[in-house]
Amino acid sequence: MTSFLSELRRRNVFRVAAAYLVVGWLVLQVVGAIEASAGLPSWTDGFALVLLVTGFPIVLFIAWAFELTPEGMNKTEAGGESVGFRPLGPSDYVLIAAVVVVIGIGGAQFVTRGPAPTSTGAVTASRDLVDPARPAAASIAVLPFADLSPDGDQAYFGDGIAEEILNVLTRVDGLHVASRTSAFQFRGDALGIPAIAQELNVRHVVEGSVRKAGNTLRITAQLIDAEGDRHLWSETFDRPLTAENIFGIQDEIATEIVAALSEALDMSPPEVSIATETANLDAYELYLRGQAIFHRRSFDTIPEGIEYFERAVAADPEFARGWAGLAAIYGVAESWLGADTGRDFRDLAWQAADRATELNPDLALPYSVRSVVARDRLEWRDAIAQSNEAIARDPNSANAWYFRGSVWLAAGFFDAAASDFTAALERDPAYSIARRHLALAELYRGDTGRARELYERGVLEQQESNVGIMIPVYFARRDEAAALFNLAHANEVMGRSANNEASYRYYSDFNLSDEELDRMLRAIYVRANGSLEGYTFNSGDFTIPTTNNHGRIWNPFDTNRFRLASREAYFVARQGVLADMQLPDFWREQGFPPQCRPIDDDDFECGWIDDREVDR
């Protein structure tokens, strides 16, 4: 054996093997680094590895057979026979060190590499979710139809046409359809169809236009294969403007698209259809106007949206989706307009949802609306049951998953909430309010870094839901610039910009007394109004949690947990609010969440999943 090893060394087989390993590893690193940027196929690095492994024994054989060694190297003075191991030289030590480094780095890469991504993994913004691999052939996006009407005021109509077609395509088994929110963000985008398809990770794109002139309707549509930018189908429809014709054209377009796709994919075309849900053109147009406002709702537009939906169901009381849309906008109205409107929007939402279900039991949206109303009424079991019914009717609906996640979040089940918000984002990556609530779920269950990442992405998307919850997190982490930015923005959104100074003291100074805080708030009010007449705001608005503010209940960084002046009152109030929310009864049936536990048959206690003290 010693003689054989000596011969291997004499013929430089060991040196060749070590050099091959080092050079081969370097080749793999270079291939992996340039694969994507050079446009190489995703299997390139794997192919390179196979070649290198295959070549290893061949190179060793060549080193042995042809004695890759300088003339007379390692020979004895007598006859050239081997005389055992020669001492190692400087080049040997360099090569050994290189092999050790390669083995160390390669081992570290293997040990620290993350698991393969799954469908329930981290969710990013829509343009970050693009799969670099080739999109599936059975994939499609429907872009908003362009408004070519003379007055340019029919964008809502084009959106409605596109949305109807999209909703039909989502029911085709095996066809991946980009979500409405993701596709509609490319409204009027200067990108060409191939680039838009790449952004949405789809192979096919539907685009079109709508032109209404008097009593005439013209709709054009075309199906494009983004790979090669080839038109698979196109058609122009000229019809008298009636509700029946609108639904009929939508049905024709959807049928023709599915037929063209089926031919391109060599599959049997499934049957698709769009039901004529109303014969009243005015009702349908009012519904589309209300729907457009609901999708882009704000403090200023909610009343107008309510009016459109109310007029739609008045024009056709049998219009099921009109009632569903009215239920949805009623369901969110109080959170935008406040409780002092003179209308019980929760009760109105429930009634409208019931009417929609009565007319069409297959609609998912009314169940989601009832789940939110039941949550606000603290009827937790019914809230979950209604959400489950919505998901069962339309598992592809991002709304259905989002609304159930909001119930789980308020009830303290953060893992379940995060799972549902993730499911919503998987179906609609551009659903920014779901991303904001996923940020809160991650915060409450202790992943502060992930929460900040998701929250900050939402800031870029102009998402303003629960805008103030992350403020104490930034103060606690001593990120003063981010804290001040979010503080000023939150007060501006809530119309309290004058409170910036008092808010800053409240969040940054744990020794601030309630008396000093009240004094500052009163002084701010007097500066703005000239006197204290009508003044109702006080430090309790900063410090006391309420049944509709989960940020005050579950946020591990809530300032009142650490403020000396409010700490004791906060914990008492928090315990009382959880009891008032009737959560302990729900937990005893459902099972307690990880941060809470029963003490006896009548008592409980809750902490935080991340129970760290803030480092000041």
Side-chain angles (χ1 to χ4, degrees):
M1 179 58 69
T2 299
S3 176
F4 175 67
L5 294 176
S6 296
E7 189 65 13
L8 288 176
R9 281 198 62 204
R10 188 187 70 78
R11 298 176 184 234
N12 280 331
V13 174
F14 289 133
R15 283 190 173 190
V16 170
Y20 189 91
L21 287 174
V22 173
V23 173
W25 178 80
L26 291 173
V27 169
L28 287 177
Q29 303 308 302
V30 172
V31 170
I34 70 171
E35 180 180 273
S37 59
L40 299 175
S42 59
W43 45 261
T44 302
D45 54 352
F47 182 67
L49 178 61
V50 170
L51 288 179
L52 289 169
V53 171
T54 304
F56 186 61
I58 297 174
V59 169
L60 295 186
F61 174 76
I62 292 174
W64 170 272
F66 293 95
E67 298 191 35
L68 302 179
T69 175
E71 184 67 20
M73 182 178 180
N74 296 330
K75 300 287 186 177
T76 65
E77 294 181 359
E81 294 183 359
S82 177
V83 290
F85 295 114
R86 65 179 175 82
L88 296 176
S91 60
D92 295 302
Y93 287 114
V94 170
L95 198 54
I96 291 172
V99 172
V100 171
V101 169
V102 167
I103 293 174
I105 295 176
Q109 289 175 334
F110 178 80
V111 171
T112 59
R113 67 180 180 179
T118 65
S119 61
T120 58
V123 180
T124 59
S126 59
R127 298 199 179 191
D128 294 334
L129 281 175
V130 176
D131 187 347
R134 187 176 180 180
S139 57
I140 193 168
V142 182
L143 302 182
F145 279 31
D147 174 24
L148 300 183
S149 300
D151 295 332
D153 58 352
Q154 302 295 315
Y156 71 92
F157 195 80
D159 288 359
I161 299 292
E163 187 170 357
E164 296 285 357
I165 296 167
L166 184 150
N167 289 337
V168 171
L169 295 178
T170 60
R171 298 197 292 269
V172 176
D173 289 339
L175 181 62
H176 167 70
V177 183
S179 70
R180 178 196 188 279
T181 311
S182 297
F184 278 35
Q185 68 181 319
F186 293 98
R187 179 193 310 277
D189 203 300
L191 289 174
I193 292 298
I196 291 175
Q198 183 179 13
E199 292 282 346
L200 294 172
N201 196 27
V202 296
R203 170 75 177 270
H204 301 92
V205 174
V206 177
E207 67 171 356
S209 63
V210 174
R211 178 183 175 87
K212 287 173 61 180
N215 295 322
T216 303
L217 174 68
R218 166 172 286 190
I219 298 177
T220 64
Q222 53 188 354
L223 173 65
I224 302 168
D225 184 346
E227 190 172 286
D229 201 11
R230 297 182 298 114
H231 284 67
L232 300 180
W233 167 85
S234 64
E235 189 66 71
T236 298
F237 303 86
D238 289 309
R239 300 285 193 279
L241 183 56
T242 66
E244 291 89 346
N245 282 337
I246 292 171
F247 286 108
I249 293 171
Q250 292 168 349
D251 187 86
E252 286 185 60
I253 293 174
T255 300
E256 293 289 344
I257 288 171
V258 170
L261 278 175
S262 299
E263 182 178 351
L265 301 176
D266 193 23
M267 55 182 280
S268 299
E271 290 188 10
V272 297
S273 64
I274 294 178
T276 302
E277 297 196 40
T278 179
N280 189 306
L281 181 60
D282 288 339
Y284 185 61
E285 288 210 36
L286 289 165
Y287 164 78
L288 292 181
R289 288 182 182 272
Q291 189 82 335
I293 287 177
F294 181 78
H295 284 307
R296 297 188 293 272
R297 56 192 178 272
S298 67
F299 291 100
D300 297 329
T301 61
I302 285 287
E304 184 182 11
I306 291 174
E307 180 183 357
Y308 281 133
F309 280 119
E310 289 178 337
R311 289 171 57 193
V313 298
D316 182 1
E318 305 300 310
F319 186 15
R321 276 197 298 155
W323 285 103
L326 180 58
I329 203 164
Y330 278 156
V332 302
E334 187 170 308
S335 64
W336 289 93
L337 304 179
D340 301 327
T341 60
R343 306 184 73 182
D344 186 347
F345 283 117
R346 291 175 183 170
D347 190 53
L348 290 170
W350 195 283
Q351 293 176 28
D354 280 350
R355 178 60 175 154
T357 299
E358 178 185 346
L359 293 168
N360 186 351
D362 293 331
L363 291 178
L365 183 58
Y367 288 92
S368 290
V369 172
R370 283 192 291 266
S371 76
V372 173
V373 175
R375 178 202 65 192
D376 293 343
R377 291 175 174 174
L378 310 179
E379 298 167 355
W380 302 102
R381 288 174 293 279
D382 195 20
I384 294 297
Q386 294 286 342
S387 285
N388 290 342
E389 291 290 341
I391 292 171
R393 280 161 175 76
D394 189 359
N396 291 319
S397 168
N399 275 327
W401 292 97
Y402 163 73
F403 283 126
R404 192 176 73 174
S406 70
V407 177
W408 287 128
L409 185 72
F413 292 93
F414 311 133
D415 291 341
S419 178
D420 280 355
F421 294 140
T422 298
L425 286 163
E426 287 173 342
R427 287 153 179 81
D428 187 350
Y431 199 170
S432 59
I433 194 170
R435 184 171 296 107
R436 170 59 52 85
H437 280 77
L438 178 59
L440 303 182
E442 297 289 8
L443 175 66
Y444 300 163
R445 66 177 181 170
D447 192 344
T448 308
R450 179 72 178 140
R452 288 183 58 171
E453 175 190 342
L454 291 164
Y455 174 84
E456 288 161 8
R457 195 180 304 277
V459 171
L460 297 177
E461 295 168 349
Q462 298 182 324
Q463 172 52 237
E464 295 179 350
S465 174
N466 295 290
V467 68
I469 290 180
M470 291 295 291
I471 294 173
V473 178
Y474 288 108
F475 275 109
R477 292 305 180 90
R478 299 186 178 184
D479 190 343
E480 189 88 353
L484 289 172
F485 169 81
N486 282 277
L487 175 61
H489 180 61
N491 280 337
E492 180 182 9
V493 169
M494 293 183 290
R496 299 176 179 174
S497 295
N499 288 349
N500 280 344
E501 182 183 356
S503 299
Y504 175 77
R505 286 287 306 280
Y506 163 73
Y507 285 116
S508 62
D509 183 1
F510 286 172
N511 294 313
L512 179 68
S513 68
D514 281 351
E515 292 75 17
E516 176 66 8
L517 181 58
D518 273 326
R519 187 192 65 76
M520 294 178 69
L521 293 172
R522 288 195 298 270
I524 291 168
Y525 188 88
V526 169
R527 284 199 301 269
N529 299 281
S531 72
L532 283 173
E533 183 178 356
Y535 176 77
T536 59
F537 198 82
N538 58 61
S539 61
D541 293 303
F542 277 92
T543 60
I544 304 301
T546 60
T547 57
N548 62 354
N549 190 342
H550 51 74
R552 277 281 156 79
I553 298 170
W554 298 123
N555 188 348
F557 292 94
D558 191 278
T559 303
N560 297 294
R561 184 182 169 196
F562 311 102
R563 272 189 77 236
L564 299 179
S566 58
R567 180 181 175 88
E568 184 176 347
Y570 165 72
F571 279 100
V572 172
R574 179 176 184 262
Q575 189 81 351
V577 165
L578 291 172
D580 291 343
M581 293 173 71
Q582 303 175 42
L583 282 174
D585 294 337
F586 178 57
W587 293 337
R588 292 181 195 281
E589 294 183 10
Q590 179 73 29
F592 276 71
Q595 73 277 13
C596 300
R597 68 180 183 89
I599 295 178
D600 51 40
D601 292 340
D602 300 318
D603 203 1
F604 69 97
E605 66 178 6
C606 291
W608 287 267
I609 290 182
D610 181 9
D611 200 17
R612 294 172 297 185
E613 292 294 323
V614 175
D615 177 23
R616 282 293 182 196

